[in-house]
Amino acid sequence: MTKYANLIPRFLDYVKVNTRSDPASTTIPSTPRLTDFAQRLVKDLKAIGLSNVHINSQSAYVYATLPANTDKAVKKIGFIAHFDTADFNAENIQPQIVKDYDGQSVINLDEAGKYQLDPAVFPNLKNYQGDTLITTDGTTLLGADDKSGVAEIMAAAEYLLAHPEIKHGEIEIGLGPDEEVGTGADHFDVADFGADLAYTVDGGPLGQLEYETFNAADAQVKITGTNVHPAEAKGVMVNASQVAMDFHAALPAHDRPETTEGREGFFHLYRITGDVDTAQLSYIIRDHDRQLFEDRKRLFQGIADRMNRAYGQKRLEVTIKDQYYNMREIIEKNMTVVDLAKDAMEALQIKPLIFPVRGGTDGSKISFMGLPTPNLFAGGENMHGHYEYVSEQTMERATDVLLKIVTLAEQRA
Ligand SMILES: [Zn+2]
C-alpha cells in the first residue's frame, strides 16, 4: 500500500495522452491538443479539491491554489511542471511496467528487442535495483518529462488535503504547455500565480537540484556574396560560402559543445546553408558567466565587423537575440529557496545533487520575472526518446520532497 494511491495511476493515464508540442506553431498554446489536456487538468484539479482552478489566458497555464491551514505568515510556495512532451513520436504511448528490476538485466522495450535498456549503455539503470520501472514500448517517448512532475505535484496536493493535520502555507500550482518548444515560460503570469518562491519539478534523477543555468543567445549571420562566372572571377568574386567558412574558422576552435563541459561556454553552429551568392550561419551562444557571455557576443560581432571592414562593405550581417539568463544571478540574492529544497532532501536522506545545468529551465525565465524558481528532480531518465524511463519509487520520493518543503517552510515561519 503506497502512500500516494493516485500518483502512478494518474501518471500512467496522463502519459497515454499525446501532448507533443509543435515547434512550428506561433499560437499559445502551440497546438489544440494542449488546450484539451489543460481542460482535463482543470477538471482533475477541481476533483482533488483545489481552489481557484483556472487557465491563465496570457500563458495557457493551468493555475490552482491550495489554501493555507495555518495562521502563521508562511511564504507562498509554487510548484510548476509542464505537460507538453518533446518533439518526438507521442502517438499511442504504451507504458511498460518492469517490476522489481534487478539493476543489471537488459530490458527489451519492444518484443523483437530492437530497442533495449542496457546497463552497459545506460549505467544509471544500476541505481534502480529493486525498483519498479516504467518504460516505453520502443515506438514512442514516455513523457515522464514532465508528466512525472505533474503527477507528483498533484499527489502532494491530494495528500495535504487528506491530512489537514499537516500545517502549511498557501501553495500555488502551475501546470504549463510548450516548455519543450522553449516558449511556455515566456508568457508566465507571475502576478496571477501569486507565489513568493517556486520550484519547477522538471529535473531528472533522485536528488537533482538546479539553480544555475546558461546565459543564452541565438545568433544569425547572413552573408551576401558577389557571384560571377568562375572564368572571370579573379579579383571580383566573393563566394558567400567561403566567407561563411572564414567566419566560422575565426571563432575559438575549442569553444564548441563537443569539446566543453562544466561551466565552459561555447559557440554552437547548428545550421549552415549557402551557395556562392548567399550563405547563412545559425549559432547558439552559451555561457554560465554573464560577463563571459557578453564577451562572447562581442567577439562574435567583432569578427563580422572586422571582415566587413576588410571587404570594404557589409558582407556579413549579424543578428543576436538573448534567449534567457542564468537564474543564479537572481537566486544568489536570497538562497532561502535553495536551502529549503536542500534541507528537505537531507531530512529525507536524499543527497542533493547540485550542478550547473548546460541548458535552461523554465525557471531561468521565471526567475528573471521576479519569482526565484530553481528546478527539482522529477525522476525521469533518458528524456526525449525511445529510452525514456522513470522509477515509481523515485516519483514517490519526489513527492515526499515537495511535502517536506512545504512543512519545513511552515515550521520556519
Ligand atoms: Zn521537461
Side-chain angles (χ1 to χ4, degrees):
M1 187 51 204
T2 154
K3 190 170 164 192
Y4 312 112
N6 291 328
L7 171 65
I8 302 303
R10 181 174 286 126
F11 173 72
L12 292 173
D13 279 351
Y14 285 178
V15 294
K16 286 177 195 154
V17 185
N18 178 356
T19 57
R20 177 180 181 168
S21 43
D22 178 1
S25 163
T26 53
T27 60
I28 306 168
S30 66
T31 142
R33 60 175 167 258
L34 294 177
T35 308
D36 294 345
F37 195 75
Q39 279 156 357
R40 175 176 181 171
L41 288 173
V42 166
K43 238 176 64 208
D44 293 354
L45 291 162
K46 282 183 180 163
I48 289 176
L50 291 163
S51 313
N52 192 24
V53 182
H54 64 287
I55 298 180
N56 175 270
S57 57
Q58 170 184 319
S59 61
Y61 266 71
V62 182
Y63 286 161
T65 299
L66 178 57
N69 63 2
T70 170
D71 295 332
K72 283 193 189 175
V74 188
K75 286 217 185 308
K76 295 178 189 172
I77 296 179
F79 293 119
I80 299 166
H82 67 91
F83 56 82
D84 66 312
T85 61
D87 200 21
F88 193 87
N89 186 20
E91 240 9 288
N92 190 27
I93 294 176
Q94 298 291 339
Q96 308 291 303
I97 314 279
V98 182
K99 285 205 170 122
D100 196 18
Y101 179 60
D102 63 10
Q104 45 185 331
S105 300
V106 174
I107 300 169
N108 281 342
L109 297 176
D110 54 316
E111 252 165 59
K114 186 174 171 219
Y115 295 103
Q116 298 182 322
L117 281 177
D118 181 349
V121 181
F122 304 112
N124 278 6
L125 281 164
K126 296 180 182 124
N127 301 333
Y128 297 102
Q129 193 183 354
D131 281 18
T132 299
L133 300 183
I134 304 171
T135 75
T136 73
D137 68 355
T139 61
T140 63
L141 51 59
L142 177 61
D145 178 14
D146 181 28
K147 284 173 183 152
S148 56
V150 172
E152 288 152 10
I153 292 169
M154 289 173 74
E158 212 171 10
Y159 189 85
L160 289 172
L161 281 161
H163 293 84
E165 73 279 7
I166 302 174
K167 296 295 167 203
H168 58 82
E170 187 171 309
I171 297 166
E172 318 297 343
I173 293 173
L175 308 177
D178 295 329
E179 190 271 351
E180 299 292 358
V181 295
T183 56
D186 290 343
H187 316 282
F188 193 84
D189 189 339
V190 168
D192 185 20
F193 190 53
D196 299 310
L197 45 93
Y199 303 89
T200 50
V201 187
D202 189 21
L206 185 77
Q208 257 188 14
L209 168 55
E210 301 166 330
Y211 66 96
E212 189 172 355
T213 60
F214 270 143
N215 296 289
D218 184 271
Q220 302 292 326
V221 188
K222 265 171 85 172
I223 298 161
T224 312
T226 299
N227 191 0
V228 294
H229 194 285
E232 277 111 46
K234 189 166 185 192
V236 182
M237 179 192 280
V238 175
N239 185 340
S241 292
Q242 183 60 50
V243 176
M245 290 191 287
D246 293 346
F247 176 88
H248 187 67
L251 288 168
H254 179 76
D255 294 8
R256 296 176 188 161
E258 63 270 37
T259 53
T260 51
E261 61 185 352
R263 283 196 185 80
E264 297 168 328
F266 57 72
F267 303 91
H268 172 48
L269 174 63
Y270 67 87
R271 192 187 310 118
I272 175 167
T273 57
D275 49 28
V276 179
D277 216 28
T278 60
Q280 173 133 10
L281 301 168
S282 302
Y283 290 87
I284 54 171
I285 302 176
R286 298 288 187 264
D287 210 296
H288 288 100
D289 184 280
R290 186 65 175 266
Q291 188 55 52
L292 294 178
F293 174 64
E294 298 301 330
D295 291 349
R296 282 186 190 282
K297 289 189 287 177
R298 251 195 306 279
L299 173 74
F300 194 92
Q301 179 71 54
I303 293 169
D305 292 347
R306 200 175 66 230
M307 289 175 70
N308 281 332
R309 277 197 300 277
Y311 284 113
Q313 57 177 296
K314 201 167 183 187
R315 295 276 178 193
L316 302 94
E317 197 182 313
V318 170
T319 317
I320 302 178
K321 276 203 194 95
D322 287 0
Q323 295 168 302
Y324 57 84
Y325 302 108
N326 185 350
M327 67 164 98
R328 181 178 173 163
E329 209 176 305
I330 303 295
I331 290 183
E332 260 179 350
K333 293 177 190 158
N334 181 352
M335 289 292 279
T336 311
V337 65
V338 172
D339 292 340
L340 211 48
K342 230 169 86 184
D343 296 346
M345 288 187 200
E346 279 165 357
L348 295 164
Q349 275 83 47
I350 297 169
K351 188 175 172 335
L353 302 175
I354 305 176
F355 296 104
V357 190
R358 291 178 68 75
T361 66
D362 271 348
S364 324
K365 285 173 182 162
I366 297 169
S367 295
F368 279 86
M369 295 172 183
L371 178 62
T373 307
N375 189 32
L376 300 172
F377 72 93
E381 296 261 13
N382 301 340
M383 288 149 176
H384 297 190
H386 308 283
Y387 303 104
E388 191 181 4
Y389 68 94
V390 67
S391 142
E392 291 189 7
Q393 284 74 13
T394 305
M395 288 183 63
E396 285 164 12
R397 300 292 273 155
T399 310
D400 290 341
V401 169
L402 305 186
L403 292 174
K404 188 54 95 178
I405 285 172
V406 299
T407 49
L408 274 184
E410 195 274 341
Q411 286 159 17
R412 290 173 180 184

